[in-house]
Amino acid sequence: MKSDKLITPRSSAYLVERIGFSTLAILSFLLAVPIIGVILYIIIHGAPAISWEFLSRMPSDGMKAGGILPAIVGTFYLTLGTAIFSVPLGIAAAIYLSEYAPENRLTRIIRIAIINLAGIPSIVYGLFGLGLFVIFLKLGTSILAASLTLSIMTLPVIITTTEESLRAVPYAFRVVSTSLGTSRWQTIRRVVLPQAVPGILTGVILGLERAAGETAPILFTGATFFLPQLPNSPLDATMALPYHLFVISTQVPGMPIQIQYGTVLVLLVFVLGMNIVATVIRSRARARRQW
Amino acid sequence: MPEIFERRSRESHGEWVITRLIQTAGYSSIFFVLMILYFLLANGLPVMKDVSLSNLFSTVWYPIEEYYGILPLILGSLVVTLGAALIGVPLGILTAVYISEIAPQWVKEALKPLIEILAGIPSVVLGFLGAIVLSPFLRESLNLPTGLTALTGSILLGAIAIPTIVSISEDALNTVPRAYREAALALGTTRWQTIWGVTVPAARSGILMAIMLGIGRSIGETMTVMMVTGNAPVMPDSLGALFAPIRTMTATIASEMGEVSGGSPHYHVLFFIGIVLFLITLGVNVMASRIAFRQRKRSERVLS
Amino acid sequence: MDKIVVEHLNLRYSDGTESLRDLNLVIPANAITALMGPAGGGKSTFLRALNRLNDLADVVAQSGRVLIDGKDILEPEMDVIALRRKVGMVFSRPLPLPLTIYQNVSYGLEVAGERNREVLDKAVKLALDQAELWDEVHDRLSDPAEALSGGQKQRLCLARALALKPEVILLDEPTSALDPVATAKIESSLSELKKNYTIVIAPHNTQQTARVADWVAFFLQGEMIEFGPSKDIFTRPKDKRTEEYILGRYG
Ligand SMILES: Nc1ncnc2c1ncn2[C@@H]1O[C@H](COP(=O)(O)OP(=O)(O)O)[C@@H](O)[C@H]1O
Ligand SMILES: [Mg+2]
């Protein structure tokens, strides 16, 4: 077969195809290598910094020694706070769009609004959070203000992915459930939502992953340079891994490089760990799905 | 059997409440966009009182001496984004084409998670690596005075835009009906010719949307550019600007908002830059959604 | 006894099709009434009017009255949820919910607020018995319903509707996806069930109509051409179109 093609008049076309395919393969390979490289690089350089002390101690000596506990805890709090606001709201909004919204102008406006929310730069969210939560609502630079800011930023991710997984549930299930004398909400809660859970979870985690890694929205809403103790109320400011990394790598002269790499590694594990969890949930649900 | 016709059963009260809650949540996105717009305007528009228009749209950004010209910042953002597009768009589309049309299954399954990982790397991490690895490398290999240049930012922003471009383009390519390809192949064209002659053109609106959204992400990116572009608010005047330090709008807000006092002209100008950013990304995103606004219609009929 | 009385029922979908035109019909209790006619005649549409499932479809205009036990169910203030519990439906595709066998049958009751295990257990057994499925599944009630065969699934769907103790059962071509053996089982359940229920079925062919129907309504392009006892319709149809259909002229 192959050799046949080579002697047809159009063999040059096949040669082009071979060259084209190879070029694209090489390009994609060249894209993949740096990604793997970056991950390995961070692991190799960061691993030596990781110790129990590094993870469990407060920073000392102007952050040039000790651990990064408050940054880890802070990022955890911020992620949790973001989840508290954005998950219920995002899922409810997605349910509205998938199950209730009529096809009309208002719904189109909602969709445009969501696209806009998704596109607004994270630093602009920071400005907004400063204007609304920190100053207008007088929450101050706090975990609460930062979480609220991050929530609104995360909302479109959660809405979009949740709506997609709700729509993937076959419409026939809704008809069947309705025919058995159930209200719309009962059908959603008992049939549609359970089937969409893996997809929703994936979307939620991906949204929170983004929130956990963000710096710009918390710069003026909740992040602080250094705290002598862990925050003990939502109205306290907090350290956070991404902001900490930014600070120690750009603002503190003479910062030991080890600590920087260690911080990068911890942040990456935090964020990519969520990513991997999401991927696993998604692929397992796909394998198990009956429809 | 009149019980059939009992008025609404007792769930229906809760049902009403839940429906309202869900509806309110559904509308909330509109509310948030308006709130964002309002707070940007409320804090940004007062700049018109404090700073003259000719100052605002001048070419000098030097806030300490009350030079608030935002043109170098806008152009700085544009230059970096343009560079990012030049890198990210071709690479992103070609990768999407490769994944969707050419790659064997196992390669697909390896590439897609990798690209998701790239999407997941926080921008501050990319900025850190850019400053510590990429910028020294560029300085030495291109023999520049500093490695913190627009180009450094462009390369990293390209990397940030790529996952968006790849995933949306790939979706667009996947929705091209199989029959198109088969028809073309049946006419004796090669797969390569089919890809560029049939499949990619059929997916062009989706790909265009991917490009727009990728660019939208690049314009708004903050931490990475702030950490690698050197932050010099100079007017970029030629192509050489790519190889020199530059300052974007986002980086300006991020690095200066912490030091200004609330209500000062400088504070208002920073919010004003936020308005400009908001409007630019709004434009880009609305255009992107115009291009490919087709909500999957629920064509499935009630079971029959 | 007249269970369902339909008066001047008209229905139009958003695509403009006039799917039901001035329908007048009386459906007797404790009998099987079959809706016969070529595809697109409005049989499914009519069945869905009886449990207001058309509320989910793109209906733009509906007029007339459908009285069940003397009460107009098309009225806007009708409690459609209670209606659907009393008017069960089986669809042409055997489509269990993504739950276990047991949960599929108990679903309607549980949503309706029944919490008592014993009551549920009893209702599930009874319904599965009525659908002639109990013997085959009693030892694997907590398996996913998806594991059943096509015929079993469809009987599960019947059981699921029966569990709510409806008075009317609607069946829309319930055996169109089944083999002859599975079809026979469903048909035998129906002839047992008609003693206690009002059954309205759109059979999936004329032979089935002849086998199961006590009464036959012939639907053609949204109109009901003829209604009468099954015997009469098959032996001496009044309308020429009915005769032609029975003789196979419409395919
Ligand atoms: N959900 C729907 N939306 C729009 N038109 C429909 C819908 N269901 C049925 N129709 C139309 O109504 C007419 C009657 O259809 P149907 O009730 O399904 O007939 P039958 O069940 O006798 O085949 C057909 O023309 C069909 O296209
Ligand atoms: Mg039908």
Side-chain angles (χ1 to χ4, degrees), chain B residues 301-302 304, chain C residues 13 15 17 19 38-45 48 57-58:
Chain B
R301 282 182 172 182
V302 175
S304 58
Chain C
Y13 287 111
D15 58 4
T17 26
S19 298
K43 305 181 297 291
S44 301
T45 303
R48 290 195 302 260
D58 258 349

mmCIF file of all heavy atoms in Angstrom, chain B residues 301-302 304, chain C residues 13 15 17 19 38-45 48 57-58, ligand 1:
data_model
loop_
_atom_site.group_PDB
_atom_site.id
_atom_site.type_symbol
_atom_site.label_atom_id
_atom_site.label_comp_id
_atom_site.label_asym_id
_atom_site.label_seq_id
_atom_site.Cartn_x
_atom_site.Cartn_y
_atom_site.Cartn_z
ATOM 1 N N ARG B 301 -36.482 15.530 22.104
ATOM 2 C CA ARG B 301 -37.872 15.791 22.399
ATOM 3 C C ARG B 301 -38.303 15.033 23.632
ATOM 4 O O ARG B 301 -37.666 14.068 24.030
ATOM 5 C CB ARG B 301 -38.729 15.338 21.234
ATOM 6 C CG ARG B 301 -38.689 16.320 20.115
ATOM 7 C CD ARG B 301 -39.590 15.820 19.051
ATOM 8 N NE ARG B 301 -39.733 16.843 18.021
ATOM 9 C CZ ARG B 301 -40.511 16.670 16.981
ATOM 10 N NH1 ARG B 301 -41.206 15.564 16.843
ATOM 11 N NH2 ARG B 301 -40.599 17.617 16.083
ATOM 12 N N VAL B 302 -39.389 15.474 24.187
ATOM 13 C CA VAL B 302 -39.984 14.707 25.271
ATOM 14 C C VAL B 302 -40.169 13.290 24.749
ATOM 15 O O VAL B 302 -40.582 13.075 23.624
ATOM 16 C CB VAL B 302 -41.344 15.320 25.651
ATOM 17 C CG1 VAL B 302 -42.017 14.454 26.679
ATOM 18 C CG2 VAL B 302 -41.162 16.715 26.150
ATOM 19 N N SER B 304 -41.023 9.882 23.331
ATOM 20 C CA SER B 304 -42.250 9.421 22.707
ATOM 21 C C SER B 304 -42.055 8.005 22.223
ATOM 22 O O SER B 304 -40.944 7.543 22.121
ATOM 23 C CB SER B 304 -42.638 10.323 21.558
ATOM 24 O OG SER B 304 -41.600 10.349 20.623
ATOM 25 N N TYR C 13 -47.734 22.655 18.678
ATOM 26 C CA TYR C 13 -46.351 22.827 19.137
ATOM 27 C C TYR C 13 -45.757 24.098 18.537
ATOM 28 O O TYR C 13 -46.294 24.652 17.581
ATOM 29 C CB TYR C 13 -45.486 21.627 18.727
ATOM 30 C CG TYR C 13 -45.769 20.377 19.524
ATOM 31 C CD1 TYR C 13 -46.381 19.278 18.927
ATOM 32 C CD2 TYR C 13 -45.391 20.275 20.856
ATOM 33 C CE1 TYR C 13 -46.618 18.126 19.649
ATOM 34 C CE2 TYR C 13 -45.637 19.126 21.579
ATOM 35 C CZ TYR C 13 -46.245 18.047 20.977
ATOM 36 O OH TYR C 13 -46.474 16.917 21.681
ATOM 37 N N ASP C 15 -43.317 24.471 16.628
ATOM 38 C CA ASP C 15 -42.936 24.409 15.212
ATOM 39 C C ASP C 15 -44.152 24.566 14.308
ATOM 40 O O ASP C 15 -44.053 24.459 13.086
ATOM 41 C CB ASP C 15 -42.193 23.098 14.911
ATOM 42 C CG ASP C 15 -43.044 21.870 15.249
ATOM 43 O OD1 ASP C 15 -44.212 22.062 15.633
ATOM 44 O OD2 ASP C 15 -42.540 20.754 15.121
ATOM 45 N N THR C 17 -46.870 22.678 14.136
ATOM 46 C CA THR C 17 -47.715 21.514 13.832
ATOM 47 C C THR C 17 -48.950 21.513 14.715
ATOM 48 O O THR C 17 -48.878 21.640 15.924
ATOM 49 C CB THR C 17 -46.978 20.175 14.067
ATOM 50 O OG1 THR C 17 -45.971 20.389 15.039
ATOM 51 C CG2 THR C 17 -46.408 19.623 12.801
ATOM 52 N N SER C 19 -50.980 19.386 16.274
ATOM 53 C CA SER C 19 -50.825 17.959 16.534
ATOM 54 C C SER C 19 -52.091 17.275 17.024
ATOM 55 O O SER C 19 -52.240 16.072 16.879
ATOM 56 C CB SER C 19 -49.691 17.735 17.526
ATOM 57 O OG SER C 19 -48.502 18.212 16.956
ATOM 58 N N PRO C 38 -51.002 5.817 12.107
ATOM 59 C CA PRO C 38 -49.626 5.958 11.620
ATOM 60 C C PRO C 38 -48.828 6.956 12.453
ATOM 61 O O PRO C 38 -49.409 7.765 13.179
ATOM 62 C CB PRO C 38 -49.805 6.471 10.187
ATOM 63 C CG PRO C 38 -51.163 7.059 10.144
ATOM 64 C CD PRO C 38 -51.986 6.340 11.149
ATOM 65 N N ALA C 39 -47.515 6.884 12.328
ATOM 66 C CA ALA C 39 -46.629 7.783 13.083
ATOM 67 C C ALA C 39 -46.978 9.236 12.777
ATOM 68 O O ALA C 39 -47.360 9.562 11.650
ATOM 69 C CB ALA C 39 -45.181 7.495 12.724
ATOM 70 N N GLY C 40 -46.866 10.056 13.768
ATOM 71 C CA GLY C 40 -47.143 11.471 13.570
ATOM 72 C C GLY C 40 -48.613 11.805 13.693
ATOM 73 O O GLY C 40 -49.026 12.934 13.467
ATOM 74 N N GLY C 41 -49.411 10.826 14.078
ATOM 75 C CA GLY C 41 -50.849 11.050 14.158
ATOM 76 C C GLY C 41 -51.266 11.800 15.408
ATOM 77 O O GLY C 41 -52.403 12.261 15.507
ATOM 78 N N GLY C 42 -50.370 11.882 16.398
ATOM 79 C CA GLY C 42 -50.705 12.617 17.614
ATOM 80 C C GLY C 42 -50.953 11.707 18.812
ATOM 81 O O GLY C 42 -51.397 12.173 19.864
ATOM 82 N N LYS C 43 -50.641 10.420 18.665
ATOM 83 C CA LYS C 43 -50.906 9.483 19.770
ATOM 84 C C LYS C 43 -50.072 9.840 21.000
ATOM 85 O O LYS C 43 -50.596 9.944 22.108
ATOM 86 C CB LYS C 43 -50.582 8.049 19.317
ATOM 87 C CG LYS C 43 -51.329 7.641 18.047
ATOM 88 C CD LYS C 43 -51.019 6.223 17.637
ATOM 89 C CE LYS C 43 -49.565 5.976 17.265
ATOM 90 N NZ LYS C 43 -49.120 6.618 16.018
ATOM 91 N N SER C 44 -48.770 10.028 20.791
ATOM 92 C CA SER C 44 -47.917 10.362 21.934
ATOM 93 C C SER C 44 -48.335 11.689 22.536
ATOM 94 O O SER C 44 -48.401 11.855 23.754
ATOM 95 C CB SER C 44 -46.453 10.455 21.495
ATOM 96 O OG SER C 44 -46.044 9.242 20.931
ATOM 97 N N THR C 45 -48.625 12.634 21.673
ATOM 98 C CA THR C 45 -49.043 13.947 22.143
ATOM 99 C C THR C 45 -50.288 13.828 23.008
ATOM 100 O O THR C 45 -50.384 14.423 24.075
ATOM 101 C CB THR C 45 -49.320 14.866 20.941
ATOM 102 O OG1 THR C 45 -48.142 14.925 20.147
ATOM 103 C CG2 THR C 45 -49.705 16.251 21.392
ATOM 104 N N ARG C 48 -49.505 12.295 26.391
ATOM 105 C CA ARG C 48 -48.841 13.254 27.275
ATOM 106 C C ARG C 48 -49.783 14.347 27.763
ATOM 107 O O ARG C 48 -49.508 15.004 28.761
ATOM 108 C CB ARG C 48 -47.632 13.873 26.571
ATOM 109 C CG ARG C 48 -46.474 12.891 26.382
ATOM 110 C CD ARG C 48 -45.202 13.635 26.018
ATOM 111 N NE ARG C 48 -45.361 14.419 24.819
ATOM 112 C CZ ARG C 48 -44.937 14.049 23.624
ATOM 113 N NH1 ARG C 48 -44.319 12.896 23.466
ATOM 114 N NH2 ARG C 48 -45.114 14.827 22.579
ATOM 115 N N ALA C 57 -42.862 20.072 27.057
ATOM 116 C CA ALA C 57 -42.575 20.239 25.628
ATOM 117 C C ALA C 57 -42.886 21.667 25.191
ATOM 118 O O ALA C 57 -43.382 22.474 25.961
ATOM 119 C CB ALA C 57 -43.386 19.240 24.822
ATOM 120 N N ASP C 58 -42.582 21.926 23.954
ATOM 121 C CA ASP C 58 -42.756 23.265 23.394
ATOM 122 C C ASP C 58 -44.179 23.465 22.893
ATOM 123 O O ASP C 58 -44.398 23.664 21.706
ATOM 124 C CB ASP C 58 -41.811 23.406 22.191
ATOM 125 C CG ASP C 58 -40.596 24.208 22.568
ATOM 126 O OD1 ASP C 58 -40.607 24.802 23.660
ATOM 127 O OD2 ASP C 58 -39.655 24.239 21.769
HETATM 128 N N1 LIG D 1 -42.070 17.760 21.512
HETATM 129 C C1 LIG D 1 -42.541 18.110 20.299
HETATM 130 N N2 LIG D 1 -42.262 19.321 19.782
HETATM 131 C C2 LIG D 1 -42.714 19.688 18.587
HETATM 132 N N3 LIG D 1 -43.484 18.919 17.796
HETATM 133 C C3 LIG D 1 -43.801 17.696 18.237
HETATM 134 C C4 LIG D 1 -43.346 17.219 19.510
HETATM 135 N N4 LIG D 1 -43.832 15.963 19.681
HETATM 136 C C5 LIG D 1 -44.535 15.683 18.574
HETATM 137 N N5 LIG D 1 -44.537 16.711 17.706
HETATM 138 C C6 LIG D 1 -45.227 16.763 16.413
HETATM 139 O O1 LIG D 1 -46.577 16.499 16.642
HETATM 140 C C7 LIG D 1 -47.099 15.604 15.690
HETATM 141 C C8 LIG D 1 -47.639 14.388 16.372
HETATM 142 O O2 LIG D 1 -46.586 13.652 16.935
HETATM 143 P P1 LIG D 1 -46.768 12.470 17.956
HETATM 144 O O3 LIG D 1 -47.711 12.875 18.994
HETATM 145 O O4 LIG D 1 -45.432 12.056 18.381
HETATM 146 O O5 LIG D 1 -47.441 11.356 17.014
HETATM 147 P P2 LIG D 1 -47.422 9.783 17.155
HETATM 148 O O6 LIG D 1 -47.085 9.436 18.564
HETATM 149 O O7 LIG D 1 -48.787 9.403 16.738
HETATM 150 O O8 LIG D 1 -46.399 9.288 16.204
HETATM 151 C C9 LIG D 1 -45.972 15.273 14.737
HETATM 152 O O9 LIG D 1 -46.107 16.090 13.611
HETATM 153 C C10 LIG D 1 -44.752 15.661 15.508
HETATM 154 O O10 LIG D 1 -43.751 16.134 14.642
#
